[in-house]
């Protein structure tokens, strides 16, 4: 039977040749899902031929630049696991800045997540605000199916999912509205990593042009759905802070940066 060290060395070298940024980390993550079960109760470093073959298939998929999260079937976000598929954006650490900003405010009673995708943002906020209820919207029925799976696990019984083009099918007022819209510019799409460009829905990545179309549309209508004293949080591109903020004038707009010091979240208060 093959041993773990040999499997890892071979996998790391294959991923390095494929241009993977973190070949060792990715190889360990992919092996761990097989080895943890395979070695339960065993006091040796060998694995079965079946496990080695399964790991080899995973490494082949990663060599082809399929995201690790798609191979594993989940992504960790704010300490929780969320199902991800090709129908939704892969939740990223940058977006956790939005959660941090939301937690600075008063606990909301009703939360609206526009363009929810995987539902990771809303599910996280509902888990952190146990008295709140939420509405998840997305124009994609397939994305809503993924969101339902994640919301059922992390916030059972406190949410509804609505297929909607932004506010089109939304009713009622909300204390907190959150949104991670498509904001990548048309020019920047050419520079995306293969894991993103080839495996995530383009409609959730870019509106084309300067990347600001979603903010323009939402700036015209968000007040109609915001309760008195409510707050809106938008994720933005690192170079869009000033241009996006101008669209919401004369509202009060605050800019928050992520751990890398890059502009990441706009807080809008009418």
């Amino acid at each position: 039977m093959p041993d773990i060290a040999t499997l890892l060395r071979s996998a790391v070298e294959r991923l390095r040749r494929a241009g993977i940024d973190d070949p060792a980390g990715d190889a360990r993550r992919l092996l761990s899902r097989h080895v943890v079960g395979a070695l339960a109760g065993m006091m040796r470093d060998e694995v079965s031929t079946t496990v080695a073959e399964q790991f080899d298939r995973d490494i082949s998929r990663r060599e082809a630049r399929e995201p690790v999260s798609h191979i594993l079937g989940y992504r960790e976000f704010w300490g929780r696991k969320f199902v991800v598929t090709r129908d939704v954006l892969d939740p990223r650490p940058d977006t956790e800045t939005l959660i941090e900003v939301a937690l600075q405010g008063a606990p909301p009673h009703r939360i609206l997540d526009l363009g929810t995708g995987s539902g990771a943002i809303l599910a996280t906020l509902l888990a952190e605000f146990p008295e709140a209820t939420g509405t998840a919207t997305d124009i994609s029925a397939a994305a809503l199916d993924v969101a339902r799976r994640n919301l059922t696990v992390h916030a059972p019984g406190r949410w509804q999912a609505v297929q909607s083009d932004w506010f089109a099918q939304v009713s009622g007022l909300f204390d907190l509205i959150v949104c991670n819209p498509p904001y990548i510019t048309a020019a920047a799409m050419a520079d995306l990593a293969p894991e993103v460009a080839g495996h995530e829905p383009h409609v959730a990545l870019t509106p084309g042009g300067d990347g600001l179309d979603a903010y323009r549309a939402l700036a015209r209508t968000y007040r109609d759905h915001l309760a008195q004293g409510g707050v809106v949080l938008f994720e933005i591109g690192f170079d869009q802070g000033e241009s996006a903020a101008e669209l919401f004038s004369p509202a009060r707009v605050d800019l928050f940066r992520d751990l890398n010091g890059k502009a990441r979240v706009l807080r809008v208060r009418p």
Side-chain angles (χ1 to χ4, degrees):
M1 291 188 293
D3 65 88
I4 292 175
T6 299
L7 285 176
L8 274 175
R9 281 197 298 270
S10 174
V12 170
E13 182 57 31
R14 287 169 61 184
L15 296 182
R16 182 176 290 112
R17 289 198 301 267
I20 302 301
D21 289 338
D22 184 15
D26 286 1
R28 291 190 185 95
R29 288 179 64 195
L30 292 172
L31 182 60
S32 66
R33 71 166 177 161
H34 302 297
V35 169
V36 169
L39 294 184
M42 299 172 62
M43 299 301 293
R44 60 175 181 267
D45 292 330
E46 295 176 335
V47 296
S48 70
T49 301
T50 299
V51 167
E53 291 173 345
Q54 292 171 336
F55 179 55
D56 179 73
R57 287 193 291 271
D58 286 351
I59 294 299
S60 294
R61 293 170 66 182
R62 188 67 186 109
E63 282 181 298
R65 305 304 291 265
E66 185 174 352
V68 172
S69 59
H70 287 193
I71 301 171
L72 296 176
Y74 69 87
R75 173 79 167 203
E76 292 191 2
F77 180 83
W78 203 260
R80 300 178 178 89
K81 288 184 178 181
F82 292 91
V83 172
V84 292
T85 72
R86 294 179 65 97
D87 298 308
V88 300
L89 293 185
D90 198 342
R92 292 175 172 81
D94 292 342
T95 302
E96 293 187 343
T97 305
L98 190 150
I99 304 298
E100 293 172 359
V101 176
L103 293 177
Q104 294 175 14
H109 298 292
R110 297 190 68 195
I111 304 172
L112 172 64
D113 183 7
L114 295 167
T116 193
S118 68
I121 293 175
L122 180 59
T124 299
L125 291 174
L126 290 177
E128 297 294 328
F129 294 119
E131 302 302 318
T133 60
T135 297
T137 78
D138 207 288
I139 196 171
S140 165
L144 278 181
D145 286 341
V146 177
R148 289 186 183 98
R149 294 173 64 184
N150 287 318
L151 286 161
T152 297
V153 170
H154 296 293
R158 294 191 288 124
W159 56 272
Q160 62 174 335
V162 179
Q163 188 171 0
S164 180
D165 184 0
W166 300 132
F167 289 110
Q169 303 302 319
V170 174
S171 60
L173 300 177
F174 300 86
D175 308 297
L176 175 62
I177 299 175
V178 294
C179 182
N180 180 13
Y183 57 70
I184 298 174
T185 66
M189 287 293 290
D191 297 325
L192 291 182
E195 288 85 348
V196 179
H199 296 274
E200 299 193 35
H202 282 208
V203 68
L205 290 168
T206 181
D210 64 2
L212 297 174
D213 283 357
Y215 306 107
R216 293 187 180 98
L218 296 170
R220 292 192 293 266
T221 53
Y222 78 93
R223 292 180 182 83
D224 297 334
H225 300 275
L226 194 63
Q228 185 174 1
V231 174
V232 187
L233 300 178
F234 294 101
E235 181 167 330
I236 58 171
F238 71 92
D239 57 352
Q240 294 174 323
E242 183 176 338
S243 54
E246 289 177 354
L247 297 173
F248 294 91
S249 178
R252 293 171 291 167
V253 180
D254 300 297
L255 177 65
F256 295 85
R257 300 182 181 277
D258 60 23
L259 292 176
N260 294 315
K262 296 181 178 180
R264 188 58 58 190
V265 173
L266 282 185
R267 182 177 64 191
V268 180
R269 294 175 291 181

